[in-house]
Amino acid sequence: MQRAAAPLVGALVSTGQRSGIWRFGSSALHSSAAAAAEGGAKEGEQQAAGEQAAGEQPAAEEAPQLSAEECAAALAEAREALEGEKKRAEDLKDKLLRTLADMENLRERTSRLTAETKQFAVQGLVKNLLDVADNLERAAGSIPEADLAEGSECDRDRALTLLRSLRDGVLMTDTVLMKVLAKEGVSRFDPLGDKFDPNLHNALFEVPDATKEPGTIAVVHKRGYMLNERVVRAAESSRVQQQGLEAQRPAEQQNGALRIGPNQQQQQAAAAAAAQPGQDAAREQRLQLHYRTRWQQPLLHHSLAGGEWQSVPMQQVVSGGGWWTAANLHWDGRSAPGASSSSSSSSGGSSNGAPLLEFVVTDGVDAWDKAPGDSNYHIATPGNWRLRDGQLAPVSTPPVCLVSDLDDTMIGDDAGTAAFRQWWHEEGVPAGGRLVYNTGRALDLFEQLLQDKGHVLPEPDMLISAIGTRIYTKRGGRWAEDEGYTAQLGRGWQLEGVREACYHALATVGKDAMHFRPPNEMSEHKVTCGVRLDVLDKVLASIRSDLQQADIRHRLVVSGSGDWRFVDLVPAEAGKLQALEYARRTMEFEPHQTVACGDSGNDIDMLEGGHLSIIVGNAHKELLEWAATQRAAHAGEVYVAQGHRAWGILEGLQRYGFKAA
């Protein structure tokens, strides 16, 4: 009403202001004529009430009376405006009611959808599990009911065929089930050999085991499961009760480290020669520069022995923690550089004024790293050099190709692993070292380990996986299989023939004494079985006999402790030692520059080569016995450290001269 009457009121006010008299119809409201003549504050009040925007108005004067037609027009205009506001109010009310109705419908629809979602939330999981149900049905159907009927007879060969079919079906079902669970974020873990962790493990019993440290998981009764890194079910296990390792050490080792190898002095001399550039003619031709930077692809802009300037990309060292890049240059010796030695910055030169290497480093865009004084860096002698924070210096320690087992060797003590990582990044890599892990873990398990232990465990330059049957290198940020190595494994290897030999042995000793390991522990070049110790010799004899008759070239590796052993069958060209040799040659290291590290019986193969070896202080009894009995037959040198796990690796590297004291 008030807004609708606004035009009418405005018209009346305007007319009254002009005349100084307020009139409506025949009635008149007389303003005070004397107020116009008053001064001071009252004059200001009159001006505020009656002035126009253009300036002061004279005193109120008489104005003509508002006509009836003008009043009628103003009233009609006000009524029209009022009707418009009424219509607008009705529209708003209608919209409000509709909105309330829509909100109520939305509430009911949301409630219904929520109930349906709760009811069918597992539909996707159920759909994926149908494949598991199908596999179980096929596995059960692989054995005809007639063969199970009372009084039915089944010959041995048919029984073995049915048993294999059932076994394969169960294994296939397990594989499919784990893939389904993996899609939902569920993962299974086996803590055998790990240190007991109350957050991950549930200890049912404590068992004595002289070969393991107290608190180590000795037996896994039920594997654990995690959902998106949260424990759903802790692994049920038995842990070691007491420490018996020291009592099992050979007497000659208890008072110090045991060194094995008939050519120990020769190996020491070779390692010492490697530390002195110029002692080996081949090494004199090689110049290696390690550069510490966060640039993704630095370029070495250089002139070699006074030659033409050119740029070559420096390669990231994977084990360098994202800091170190390297460039390898070879000097043909035809342009003789000066014999003067280079300082830690930019000194050095030759008789003709040209150093062996003159260079700067650029990020490939617009950033440059130059020597102090905005000059070029100079190197006068070949060998290993390091450039860090503007300081160029020769590296005195020799490069090492370190090939280490993972579980209970490189890992198992986070403090020791972290200490190794720090030394490796600060000294090992810039000295030209390269890191290789030689493990029984498959690639997926290794990648999971890197996620879990990446804060202490350095990434390797090369990965040897699955008992030497796979080799991986980092390409484009991903681990890629070395197809050249894999191709050579197929010669003389027959997967089905190996499995048949294992099935035959299984039928001989029974399923309670032998079993196949889960599919994720095997591949087309690796078959793994668990065998009880009391039937181990019988099983090995059976497998060897069958494979010999079938003319299948193979390598058989036995490892483990306690009442059970792992039996791994791999191609003859496979194995930890063969893979180590392949890695050593690929990365251009000599045997006296290569060090292998292990802790258990399945590392014996790797430790037997002509290179240097380290047995860590927490080694299993069988490995210590091998070390004590293989003096005469061993080609290389073996050092049995007192430090456990990574601490023992550091101790051995210092013993061999690859680590400063």
Side-chain angles (χ1 to χ4, degrees):
M1 286 294 291
Q2 291 177 352
R3 296 183 62 183
L8 176 59
V9 174
L12 295 176
V13 170
S14 176
T15 302
Q17 285 178 338
R18 286 196 301 270
S19 63
I21 301 174
W22 301 84
R23 294 187 177 89
F24 186 77
S26 59
S27 302
L29 296 174
H30 297 275
S31 62
S32 175
E38 292 183 359
K42 290 187 177 181
E43 182 179 359
E45 294 175 1
Q46 263 189 330
Q47 291 175 354
E51 284 178 358
Q52 295 288 337
E56 294 185 357
Q57 294 293 334
E61 59 184 28
E62 294 292 330
Q65 183 177 352
L66 187 65
S67 67
E69 291 78 10
E70 291 176 339
C71 290
L75 182 60
E77 184 180 355
R79 286 176 176 173
E80 183 179 353
L82 179 61
E83 290 300 323
E85 291 300 320
K86 286 182 177 180
K87 186 176 184 304
R88 182 170 176 272
E90 290 295 328
D91 291 340
L92 291 174
K93 181 180 178 180
D94 182 70
K95 290 181 179 179
L96 176 61
L97 293 176
R98 289 176 181 273
T99 301
L100 291 174
D102 289 340
M103 291 296 295
E104 181 64 18
N105 291 336
L106 178 62
R107 187 190 65 79
E108 294 178 358
R109 186 164 59 253
T110 302
S111 178
R112 185 170 61 256
L113 289 175
T114 301
E116 291 178 356
T117 300
K118 290 180 179 179
Q119 187 176 4
F120 299 99
V122 296
Q123 179 174 343
L125 176 60
V126 170
K127 184 177 179 180
N128 291 331
L129 286 175
L130 294 180
D131 291 336
V132 178
D134 293 340
N135 284 340
L136 287 174
E137 185 177 2
R138 282 191 288 267
S142 65
I143 301 180
E145 293 185 3
D147 292 328
L148 300 175
E150 185 176 355
S152 63
E153 295 183 359
C154 182
D155 60 39
R156 177 179 176 277
D157 291 338
R158 177 171 175 76
L160 283 176
T161 300
L162 294 176
L163 179 62
R164 292 167 186 163
S165 178
L166 178 62
R167 174 74 176 181
D168 290 341
V170 172
L171 292 177
M172 183 185 302
T173 302
D174 180 77
T175 301
V176 174
L177 176 61
M178 292 311 302
K179 289 182 178 179
V180 170
L181 293 177
K183 292 180 181 178
E184 303 299 327
V186 178
S187 60
R188 180 168 60 190
F189 64 93
D190 187 344
L192 183 65
D194 292 348
K195 197 73 173 177
F196 177 79
D197 184 346
N199 298 313
L200 301 174
H201 314 138
N202 181 20
L204 301 181
F205 309 99
E206 288 192 342
V207 297
D209 191 335
T211 65
K212 295 184 177 66
E213 290 187 15
T216 302
I217 302 299
V219 180
V220 177
H221 305 285
K222 289 183 180 180
R223 287 185 283 183
Y225 289 83
M226 303 184 76
L227 174 61
N228 296 324
E229 305 303 319
R230 178 183 294 179
V231 177
V232 177
R233 188 186 79 183
E236 295 185 0
S237 58
S238 296
R239 61 186 179 186
V240 176
Q241 180 181 24
Q242 63 183 15
Q243 168 77 340
L245 181 62
E246 293 299 324
Q248 299 295 331
R249 286 176 178 262
E252 58 185 319
Q253 188 198 352
Q254 293 181 14
N255 295 324
L258 176 65
R259 296 183 294 274
I260 304 169
N263 58 345
Q264 173 181 339
Q265 294 180 349
Q266 293 90 331
Q267 293 289 348
Q268 290 176 350
Q276 301 175 7
Q279 297 299 313
D280 186 297
R283 284 179 55 80
E284 284 188 349
Q285 308 301 318
R286 181 175 178 178
L287 192 154
Q288 186 176 56
L289 173 66
H290 282 82
Y291 177 53
R292 193 176 192 270
T293 180
R294 278 298 189 185
W295 290 343
Q296 293 298 314
Q297 187 62 74
L299 297 177
L300 181 69
H301 188 59
H302 70 284
S303 169
L304 184 63
E308 182 179 354
W309 282 82
Q310 56 184 317
S311 295
V312 296
M314 303 190 74
Q315 302 300 319
Q316 288 283 343
V317 181
V318 178
S319 66
W323 285 103
W324 290 102
T325 59
N328 291 307
L329 303 175
H330 294 272
W331 172 50
D332 59 13
R334 287 177 293 182
S335 299
S340 60
S341 61
S342 176
S343 70
S344 62
S345 58
S346 59
S347 64
S350 66
S351 57
N352 59 10
L356 173 59
L357 181 68
E358 185 176 2
F359 71 96
V360 293
V361 187
T362 173
D363 67 348
V365 183
D366 56 5
W368 295 81
D369 184 348
K370 296 184 177 181
D374 200 32
S375 60
N376 299 333
Y377 291 105
H378 291 173
I379 292 178
T381 57
N384 291 331
W385 291 78
R386 175 184 65 198
L387 175 58
R388 175 177 179 175
D389 301 328
Q391 297 296 315
L392 177 65
V395 182
S396 59
T397 54
V400 59
C401 176
L402 184 67
V403 185
S404 176
D405 176 49
L406 278 172
D407 296 279
D408 260 355
T409 303
M410 181 61 73
I411 64 173
D413 182 337
D414 282 359
T417 306
F420 173 85
R421 181 174 184 262
Q422 181 178 3
W423 170 82
W424 185 256
H425 288 168
E426 294 296 323
E427 299 182 35
V429 173
R434 296 297 180 263
L435 181 61
V436 181
Y437 291 146
N438 200 341
T439 176
R441 290 174 179 251
L443 178 61
D444 58 339
L445 297 178
F446 168 73
E447 291 179 320
Q448 182 63 49
L449 176 65
L450 276 184
Q451 292 181 8
D452 297 340
K453 298 290 186 181
H455 61 292
V456 295
L457 181 66
E459 198 169 17
D461 299 289
M462 183 177 287
L463 172 67
I464 299 172
S465 171
I467 315 295
T469 59
R470 290 292 183 273
I471 291 181
Y472 300 92
T473 54
K474 205 73 175 288
R475 303 175 198 166
R478 300 176 62 88
W479 291 100
E481 184 176 336
D482 189 315
E483 297 179 354
Y485 178 76
T486 305
Q488 73 183 28
L489 302 183
R491 297 193 293 266
W493 171 260
Q494 299 177 23
L495 177 62
E496 290 304 319
V498 174
R499 291 181 62 86
E500 286 293 329
C502 293
Y503 275 126
H504 184 200
L506 173 63
T508 302
V509 300
K511 63 180 181 179
D512 292 334
M514 180 179 176
H515 59 269
F516 282 88
R517 297 294 295 168
N520 63 346
E521 297 183 19
M522 296 189 281
S523 69
E524 64 269 29
H525 293 120
K526 178 174 176 283
V527 177
T528 304
C529 298
V531 181
R532 206 169 62 202
L533 182 60
D534 59 337
V535 299
L536 178 62
D537 292 341
K538 185 176 182 180
V539 168
L540 296 180
S542 174
I543 293 176
R544 287 190 177 109
S545 176
D546 288 350
L547 295 182
Q548 184 177 3
Q549 292 181 11
D551 195 23
I552 298 177
R553 301 179 66 243
H554 67 282
R555 179 178 297 275
L556 195 152
V557 181
V558 179
S559 61
S561 60
D563 295 334
W564 286 80
R565 294 290 188 273
F566 293 108
V567 175
D568 294 292
L569 289 135
V570 298
E573 285 76 13
K576 285 191 170 186
L577 178 59
Q578 284 72 11
L580 178 150
E581 287 296 316
Y582 182 91
R584 177 186 66 76
R585 293 192 301 269
T586 300
M587 294 190 290
E588 300 181 354
F589 283 87
E590 297 299 323
H592 66 265
Q593 299 172 312
T594 306
V595 179
C597 310
D599 74 297
S600 64
N602 62 0
D603 297 320
I604 292 177
D605 177 39
M606 172 177 64
L607 301 174
E608 282 183 327
H611 48 266
L612 308 173
S613 296
I614 299 172
I615 296 177
V616 292
N618 56 289
H620 292 189
K621 179 182 177 182
E622 59 186 333
L623 184 57
L624 296 175
E625 292 176 346
W626 169 83
T629 57
Q630 295 299 314
R631 291 173 180 267
H634 192 63
E637 181 181 352
V638 177
Y639 177 82
V640 182
Q642 293 181 322
H644 288 199
R645 301 181 178 87
W647 297 111
I649 296 176
L650 291 172
E651 177 187 329
L653 289 172
Q654 182 176 337
R655 163 65 178 78
Y656 286 133
F658 295 107
K659 178 181 179 296

